[in-house]
Amino acid sequence: MKLEPDFSEGSVSYNPDGTLNRAETKSKLGAHSAIASLAAFYTKVKYGGYISVSSMGPPMAEIALQEAQLICDADELHLYSDRLFASADTLATAEVLQQGIKKMNTGKEMDIVFSGHRASDGETGQTGPQTAWKLGFTFLGNVIDFSVDLNNRFIRAKRLVALPGFYDIVEEIQAPLPVFIAIDPLYKPTFDTISLRLTSSRYLKEAKERAENYKTYLKVLDHKKLELDPRFVGLPGSPTIVHKVEKIPKARTTRTAELIEGYDREGIKNTITKILQLVQK
Amino acid sequence: MIMITMNKIENNHRINNESYRHLFVIIESINNEIIPASLEMLGEARRQMDHFNLKYKSNEKVIAIHLGQGIKDLSKDLISYGADAVIYADDPQLKYPINKIYTKIISQIVTNPHSLKEISPEYVSIFKKPRYMFFLADSIGRHLSSTVLAELDSGLASDINKLVISDLDIKHQHKTKGETIPYQKVLEMYRPDFSGFLWTTILCLDNKNPDIAKEFHPQACSIIPGAFQPCVKDTKRTGIICQFSPQFDEQDLKIKVVKQELVKNPVQFENYKIIVSFGRGIKEDPEANIKLVEKLAKILDAEIGISLPISKKIFHLSEKYDTIYITPNRVVGTSGRKVTPVIYIAVGISGAIQHLDGMKDSDFIIAINPDENSPIKDVCDVFIKGRMEDVIPVIIDELSKQSGQLKEKEIQVNTYGKL
């Protein structure tokens, strides 16, 4: 789960050091995190289970957790919040998340972790796999569909592997639990039996009630509660730094455009004539 | 006693600095075909290290790492495209790029000094980890780079399209405890932000602050396909080819790919003479404006593309429009697809350089944009200055007047959603 800055026009603000100014940037539950919540909900409806939702962020990130609870009927909400965590790069973020995941559900090992495909904030897509690696969970990325074999403790997942300018590959992979799944934006849960639909609507009702009282489900954990060494989190624990932010120079001018005013009917008419000529060639 | 301890620390420090060598490039292939972007990355690695060796009077190598089954024979090609050496692992268990298995094998190779026995025997006794590492920023390399760097406990910058190696004076609250300290041979990794107008330079630096002292190597990044040019293939180039025998963990072999299918991307820009793309200019009424673009595309029998920022789901749309149009496989640009249609119509796209690189070779380019100073104007043939809401209806009207025979065709809507 990740609280994402709202990237709609005009609401992004940067600090002088080039990092995102989260205090001034509006936040909401990211679209990718919402899909991850949906996948978790589907799993709960179909197979049962205990859902913990977690996010690392400032105190206001609890709103995103509430939104997620409304989607997935979470049994527990974790917010990892500490000034020391600020401006962490992906490796230092993964360090916090993996420690938090280990503390979910009173320390029982989780079977599946769902994350969004990538957060548009920073847009790296690295945190998921790095958290998985630190946990020792098998990482499955770009998952568009999945099913769980509870008896044999296996998951079977369909992945879409896009290799730009080359092939796209649809792969079916099976792996023993526990797994860490980065869910693809194309994932769509289907509640295709009556019993699934009934269970789904029962949980959704519960989710609504829970989300109204989300604070009773919320645990806020700082580095002490997470038993994290301050040297390995936040900026001190980050191998990478943002050195500078600059404007990308404009591309070379390759053509001289004919300028037509939007109200110039004659100009547009001529352009259309040109288009039709070119297409018919 | 104290003196001796200090000597030891200094000594260790010196050795550590020499323990990071070479540029390792992680090559990807599918069905014994090298993914073209791997060669682009190899080309850039070659240029960087040629420059590096000249500047620092050294002899560090470009080492290609290639895992797979039946891939041994591709090693020569990697030499022809710029590698000094290739380390390959050829094994049935490596047929598919399973993240966990690949991560472990790559980590084994790049942390084992004996990997360099034939390539650079002079470093075998001191080598610990690579100096630099390049991965591909695609669905395989993005995740692989993340897990490998988590294993190697170092930093990673993703989606890079420019690289510079230089010596920098760094002053940083944590890295240097506020002092100015010189860093040598730093890889400056330039990453275009989501809008495509800003470059962020990421550095992976050792913590020289004694309170948190730690060395972070390799300096690694994933590279956007299409960002760099491959070297011209030179079959006369020579290099060293080494085999690596991987050690697998039994538990990991339970992860199995049971089926693999190559599929065509449902968005086939190549099949259309015209592409209409839209960008953030739809903002005033996103859904209504997409419908307008859709209508124009139907009349022109055009495929619809989008700019990168649009693919980040920055607008709230109904599920239908979101599913059909807001998908990465419609993105035109270096972060998506390069297109060269007969006619390219850019609607409400200001023209970040990555977008322009993906469409500027189209035969005839029309832009519709209210801002005359948009960079897209520099690459188009006709610039219609106006809001899309006002201009597109006029175009549609003119089109129907001028062309009786052009009929509205149903746009084929394919997504991967229904597999």
Side-chain angles (χ1 to χ4, degrees):
Chain A
M1 197 57 44
K2 183 157 165 72
L3 181 77
E4 282 182 24
D6 179 354
F7 273 123
S8 317
E9 294 291 319
S11 47
V12 184
S13 158
Y14 289 93
N15 290 324
D17 67 356
T19 54
L20 202 67
N21 183 338
R22 283 157 200 277
E24 277 183 27
T25 301
K26 289 183 237 158
S27 290
K28 58 171 186 174
L29 182 70
H32 293 295
S33 295
I35 297 170
S37 309
L38 206 54
F41 180 66
Y42 175 80
T43 313
K44 179 168 180 161
V45 171
K46 180 126 183 183
Y47 307 102
Y50 181 94
I51 299 183
S52 291
V53 181
S54 75
S55 180
M56 185 183 101
M60 69 182 193
E62 64 179 51
I63 301 302
L65 290 176
Q66 183 190 23
E67 273 184 65
Q69 188 175 37
L70 193 60
I71 298 172
C72 70
D73 190 27
D75 302 280
E76 179 184 41
L77 306 174
H78 268 195
L79 178 61
Y80 313 130
S81 197
D82 194 317
R83 277 182 178 280
L84 293 178
F85 300 161
S87 302
D89 76 356
T90 59
L91 200 68
T93 304
E95 184 62 24
V96 173
L97 292 177
Q98 65 113 5
Q99 191 67 6
I101 291 168
K102 283 181 188 158
K103 296 205 176 296
M104 285 173 167
N105 194 12
T106 62
K108 294 188 192 104
E109 191 182 65
M110 302 306 268
D111 291 313
I112 308 175
V113 179
F114 290 103
S115 79
H117 175 56
R118 22 160 65 183
S120 36
D121 157 25
E123 189 59 29
T124 68
Q126 291 166 199
T127 312
Q130 296 199 321
T131 306
W133 194 259
K134 283 172 179 265
L135 283 167
F137 284 27
T138 301
F139 178 78
L140 303 173
N142 305 98
V143 170
I144 53 175
D145 200 8
F146 62 90
S147 62
V148 184
D149 178 343
L150 281 176
N151 293 327
N152 299 306
R153 294 189 48 78
F154 258 81
I155 193 154
R156 193 182 259 243
K158 213 177 247 190
R159 306 174 55 233
L160 175 66
V161 182
L163 307 170
F166 207 49
Y167 299 109
D168 283 355
I169 295 163
V170 175
E171 176 190 277
E172 275 181 54
I173 188 165
Q174 65 175 38
L177 298 175
V179 293
F180 190 116
I181 289 181
I183 203 89
D184 192 272
L186 293 174
Y187 167 75
K188 283 232 154 31
T190 40
F191 300 99
D192 50 5
T193 64
I194 290 172
S195 94
L196 279 181
R197 269 182 236 143
L198 285 174
T199 316
S200 156
S201 59
R202 183 158 53 82
Y203 281 146
L204 278 178
K205 201 174 149 222
E206 186 178 71
K208 212 176 154 218
E209 288 159 12
R210 286 180 171 184
E212 276 169 20
N213 304 299
Y214 75 95
K215 290 209 182 206
T216 41
Y217 299 87
L218 179 69
K219 294 189 182 82
V220 183
L221 304 170
D222 61 10
H223 80 277
K224 281 190 192 131
K225 285 185 188 150
L226 287 167
E227 298 168 274
L228 281 163
D229 186 331
R231 288 176 302 168
F232 300 129
V233 299
L235 276 170
S238 299
T240 63
I241 62 163
V242 172
H243 180 53
K244 59 184 177 190
V245 178
E246 67 198 286
K247 277 199 173 144
I248 298 177
K250 269 175 80 172
R252 255 183 321 124
T253 303
T254 53
R255 306 180 195 207
T256 313
E258 177 193 353
L259 181 83
I260 296 172
E261 295 289 346
Y263 51 78
D264 174 9
R265 185 98 195 184
E266 198 58 28
I268 291 178
K269 190 176 154 191
N270 294 339
T271 306
I272 301 300
T273 312
K274 174 90 180 162
I275 289 179
L276 295 175
Q277 277 170 0
L278 284 170
V279 173
Q280 274 152 18
K281 250 187 213 167
Chain B
M1 276 299 279
I2 291 167
M3 283 300 288
I4 294 165
T5 317
M6 278 177 67
N7 273 341
K8 252 187 189 166
I9 290 170
E10 271 177 20
N11 217 13
N12 277 341
H13 191 65
R14 191 178 57 81
I15 288 171
N16 286 347
N17 275 342
E18 289 177 358
S19 325
Y20 311 115
R21 297 286 177 178
H22 309 306
L23 166 51
F24 288 71
V25 181
I26 309 302
I27 302 296
E28 293 176 18
S29 62
I30 293 287
N31 296 343
N32 296 345
E33 213 183 324
I34 296 169
I35 293 177
S38 284
L39 300 178
E40 298 166 9
M41 184 166 68
L42 200 53
E44 180 62 11
R46 178 74 271 143
R47 291 184 287 273
Q48 289 291 346
M49 287 318 274
D50 283 348
H51 178 72
F52 178 99
N53 287 328
L54 200 66
K55 183 171 172 185
Y56 297 109
K57 299 184 179 57
S58 57
N59 183 24
E60 296 199 24
K61 314 280 188 191
V62 173
I63 303 173
I65 309 253
H66 191 195
L67 275 47
Q69 182 187 17
I71 46 103
K72 183 185 169 190
D73 294 343
L74 296 172
S75 304
K76 276 188 225 110
D77 284 348
L78 296 172
I79 301 284
S80 306
Y81 278 103
D84 293 308
V86 178
I87 302 174
Y88 70 89
D90 199 328
D91 192 290
Q93 302 292 356
L94 296 172
K95 182 174 183 197
Y96 301 107
I98 293 170
N99 177 274
K100 203 173 205 174
I101 296 175
Y102 267 48
T103 301
K104 288 189 184 173
I105 305 304
I106 291 170
S107 303
Q108 284 170 19
I109 294 173
V110 303
T111 55
N112 185 351
H114 294 287
S115 304
L116 303 180
K117 216 164 47 189
E118 292 168 56
I119 299 165
S120 58
E122 70 274 28
Y123 295 139
V124 170
S125 60
I126 51 168
F127 178 85
K128 277 200 335 210
K129 288 181 192 175
R131 181 187 295 285
Y132 310 123
M133 267 180 109
F134 290 178
F135 294 81
L136 214 49
D138 62 13
S139 295
I140 298 169
R142 247 192 214 113
H143 298 145
L144 196 57
S145 56
S146 306
T147 44
V148 168
L149 269 298
E151 173 65 19
L152 300 179
D153 199 20
S154 189
L156 172 68
S158 71
D159 300 272
I160 297 306
N161 69 351
K162 181 184 166 183
L163 291 158
V164 178
I165 294 171
S166 60
D167 300 332
L168 296 171
D169 287 330
I170 300 290
K171 187 181 173 185
H172 188 268
Q173 186 194 347
H174 295 280
K175 293 280 176 195
T176 69
K177 211 177 180 179
E179 312 256 323
T180 302
I181 297 182
Y183 282 75
Q184 272 90 40
K185 301 165 187 166
V186 179
L187 184 63
E188 294 183 64
M189 301 174 277
Y190 286 71
R191 167 174 214 277
D193 79 333
F194 80 106
S195 73
F197 286 102
L198 289 177
W199 248 333
T200 304
T201 308
I202 314 275
L203 309 178
C204 172
L205 299 175
D206 297 339
N207 289 353
K208 296 197 177 180
N209 175 351
D211 302 341
I212 51 169
K214 193 170 175 184
E215 294 186 349
F216 289 116
H217 278 86
Q219 306 172 54
C221 64
S222 64
I223 289 173
I224 300 175
F228 298 111
Q229 289 296 317
C231 292
V232 177
K233 186 175 182 177
D234 178 1
T235 48
K236 291 197 198 78
R237 273 187 61 89
T238 54
I240 299 162
I241 296 171
C242 314
Q243 189 188 357
F244 181 84
S245 306
Q247 302 289 316
F248 299 104
D249 288 340
E250 279 305 310
Q251 186 64 20
D252 296 345
L253 301 181
K254 291 183 183 163
I255 308 167
K256 283 204 166 76
V257 171
V258 285
K259 209 166 130 193
Q260 197 193 49
E261 229 181 300
L262 300 185
V263 289
K264 268 192 166 175
N265 191 314
V267 182
Q268 290 290 316
F269 287 121
E270 302 75 24
N271 295 348
Y272 292 83
K273 283 185 175 176
I274 307 180
I275 296 170
V276 184
S277 292
F278 62 87
R280 277 184 288 176
I282 62 167
K283 65 187 173 195
E284 276 171 37
D285 190 348
E287 184 131 344
N289 284 334
I290 293 176
K291 283 181 185 163
L292 209 52
V293 171
E294 199 179 37
K295 194 171 174 196
L296 177 65
K298 271 187 190 176
I299 297 173
L300 289 169
D301 187 24
E303 182 55 285
I304 294 179
I306 59 174
S307 68
L308 183 67
I310 290 286
S311 73
K312 307 305 174 207
K313 300 189 179 287
I314 51 176
F315 298 116
H316 291 285
L317 295 168
S318 66
E319 199 190 322
K320 181 187 161 198
Y321 279 85
D322 196 68
T323 318
I324 299 176
Y325 295 115
I326 313 304
T327 67
N329 50 34
R330 283 195 193 269
V331 174
V332 172
T334 44
S335 302
R337 316 265 296 281
K338 281 197 175 184
V339 297
T340 51
V342 178
I343 296 165
Y344 188 86
I345 306 178
V347 179
I349 292 177
S350 47
I353 191 155
Q354 298 103 295
H355 185 79
L356 303 184
D357 279 343
M359 46 63 83
K360 68 180 181 212
D361 295 329
S362 309
D363 292 352
F364 193 75
I365 299 172
I366 300 166
I368 302 167
N369 200 305
D371 178 9
E372 211 182 304
N373 297 316
S374 300
I376 194 138
K377 185 160 169 269
D378 296 334
V379 303
C380 71
D381 300 285
V382 173
F383 185 90
I384 305 177
K385 186 185 167 188
R387 294 163 67 240
M388 57 182 296
E389 292 91 334
D390 303 328
V391 175
I392 294 180
V394 179
I395 294 181
I396 290 173
D397 189 42
E398 272 303 325
L399 268 170
S400 46
K401 272 188 198 160
Q402 289 191 35
S403 149
Q405 68 272 41
L406 273 178
K407 274 180 257 152
E408 284 197 17
K409 285 192 188 170
E410 274 302 309
I411 291 189
Q412 271 209 314
V413 173
N414 292 316
T415 67
Y416 286 117
K418 307 271 170 247
L419 281 164

